Amino acid sequence: QKDSSKQALRLLERGIRGCTHRSLRPTLRTMLSLRRATTRALTARRLSTKREYDLVLFGATGYSGRMCADYLLRTHKGLRVALAGRDRAKLEKVAESCAVTPRIVIADAQDADALQRLAASTEVVASTAGPFRKYGSLLVEACAQEGTSYADITGESGWTLNMAAQHHETCVSTGAIIVPQAGFDSVPSDIGTMLAIKHHTAKTGAPPSEIRTYVTSMRGARFQGGTVDTLAHELAEPIRPVKPSAVRSATKTKIDWTHGTKPWQTVQLNGKTRYLSPFIMAGANCPIVRRSNGLLDYKDGLVYSEAMALPSLKSAVQNFAVLGIGTSLLKMGMLDFLRKRGMVPAAGAGPTLKQARRASYEYVIVATGDDGSRSETTWRGNGDPSAIATTIFLMETALGLLAKRGSGEGGVLTPAAALGDDLWARLRSAKWEAADEVPAVTVEHA
């Protein structure tokens, strides 16, 4: 039934595009709308059947997985949660450390049948098992087919685009909402841009034509081992993504890749001169913002860029040099060389909780209108980006998807397109510890 519905929708869509008789197009569009409404109704009815779990955390034994299990079961009690992976002993050790003992599900990332059973047993899957091009594709496919919502922490933008091209229409049919890049890559950029555009539009009466996102602080921030592994894979063996135009509405944004690539470029922020330098995560974040613009129609032809904005020319040049040397070494396959000398963290390692809690970061998002009007949105994060921020962003995204189950919506989407204001409402009140004085994220507009 799922396959026949999907095929019927595709035939109707092709019929509209290929129809040479304009008088017939309104009739075909009406048929398509009715068919989609029927599919949504059937999907909502199917999703009303209770599954065994509310949420399954896949890849729970790695650094990010352990952080997510701790946060989820400590701050959101009363959920039916399972930890999933391939090693039962490691999973049981993680489960024993949690505030509430979760169930255990054994599934290997390369076992399609096991992943199908996992997807069919839960409302939502949250995955921390990367690199995702290696450990995520079969799981996304299973979730799409079973109508199971999904979120992950990948920063592999090429893989994300391929998943959208391959599974978006299936998700529309089954009601699955797939949200890759729901960690530090790329929630601050994506939700921050959404908030900046709303603020600028409310302030000036028109949406901005240009968004420049500047990373102004990364105090105490540290990489974790899994992030380095993924980056090494991306640099050594770049994935070949489909063209953005192959994904519906993905071409309404012009990404300015040159902005911030020269350390003598400057920008005025909060009355101070800042020196620009490349931001290592721009390659992951920019395509997500582009797709959000396509899905949410912020502004046709929107220009977007990301860069570090540092307090001195010296720090900008240093950042430029470190990125250049580091990426060159990883491209040459020298990850083991760097790890043996303690220059990058080991696989599965990351900052200690004390280190993670003391770190912080800040983005300043500058919106400019066609008439030269300017507004600023400052996103401040309390906690390490790869540890505290990524954990809270992924778990709150997954819980937002759980709350949205049965809506009949589906697709491979971005955080802003999937949840938007609902996700921001969760993030603005989320804290690592209930006793924390300030939430994990604060935003100010000017």
Side-chain angles (χ1 to χ4, degrees), residues 214-219 221 223 231 259-265 274-282 306-328:
Y214 298 107
V215 183
T216 57
S217 175
M218 282 281 185
R219 188 175 63 85
F223 277 115
L231 183 60
H259 191 66
T261 57
K262 300 177 179 64
W264 54 84
Q265 290 178 303
R274 292 271 179 163
Y275 296 83
L276 303 188
S277 195
F279 179 41
I280 192 171
M281 302 302 181
E306 291 191 359
M308 299 285 288
L310 301 171
S312 69
L313 178 59
K314 179 181 178 181
S315 57
V317 172
Q318 286 176 338
N319 179 70
F320 191 90
V322 169
L323 285 180
I325 295 170
T327 53
S328 296

Side-chain angles (χ1 to χ4, degrees), residues 96-158:
E96 290 171 1
S97 69
C98 294
V100 177
T101 304
R103 300 277 296 277
I104 300 296
V105 175
I106 304 302
D108 190 286
Q110 308 303 328
D111 187 338
D113 291 338
L115 295 177
Q116 206 80 29
R117 291 192 296 271
L118 182 154
S121 71
T122 184
E123 306 289 349
V124 179
V125 171
S127 179
T128 62
F132 287 83
R133 63 157 75 182
K134 185 176 181 181
Y135 299 118
S137 299
L138 290 178
L139 181 55
V140 169
E141 181 179 6
C143 289
Q145 292 175 351
E146 293 297 331
T148 302
S149 291
Y150 166 99
D152 67 37
I153 58 172
T154 186
E156 301 153 72
S157 58

Side-chain angles (χ1 to χ4, degrees), residues 240-278:
R240 179 174 293 180
V242 297
K243 292 182 179 179
S245 58
V247 180
R248 184 166 57 94
S249 301
T251 56
K252 292 189 176 184
T253 305
K254 178 186 176 182
I255 299 175
D256 183 358
W257 295 110
T258 64
H259 191 66
T261 57
K262 300 177 179 64
W264 54 84
Q265 290 178 303
T266 62
V267 64
Q268 293 292 317
L269 297 175
N270 299 318
K272 296 181 179 180
T273 300
R274 292 271 179 163
Y275 296 83
L276 303 188
S277 195

Side-chain angles (χ1 to χ4, degrees), residues 142 166 388:
Q166 294 170 24
I388 303 294

Side-chain angles (χ1 to χ4, degrees), residues 36-56:
R36 281 177 170 164
T38 301
T39 300
R40 284 195 294 268
L42 290 171
T43 297
R45 180 176 167 185
R46 179 166 56 83
L47 292 178
S48 66
T49 303
K50 201 75 170 176
R51 298 188 178 188
E52 187 175 359
Y53 305 114
D54 293 316
L55 193 154
V56 171

Side-chain angles (χ1 to χ4, degrees), residues 58 125 198 212 224 269:
F58 187 77
V125 171
K198 287 187 175 185
R212 304 289 189 184
Q224 55 166 290
L269 297 175

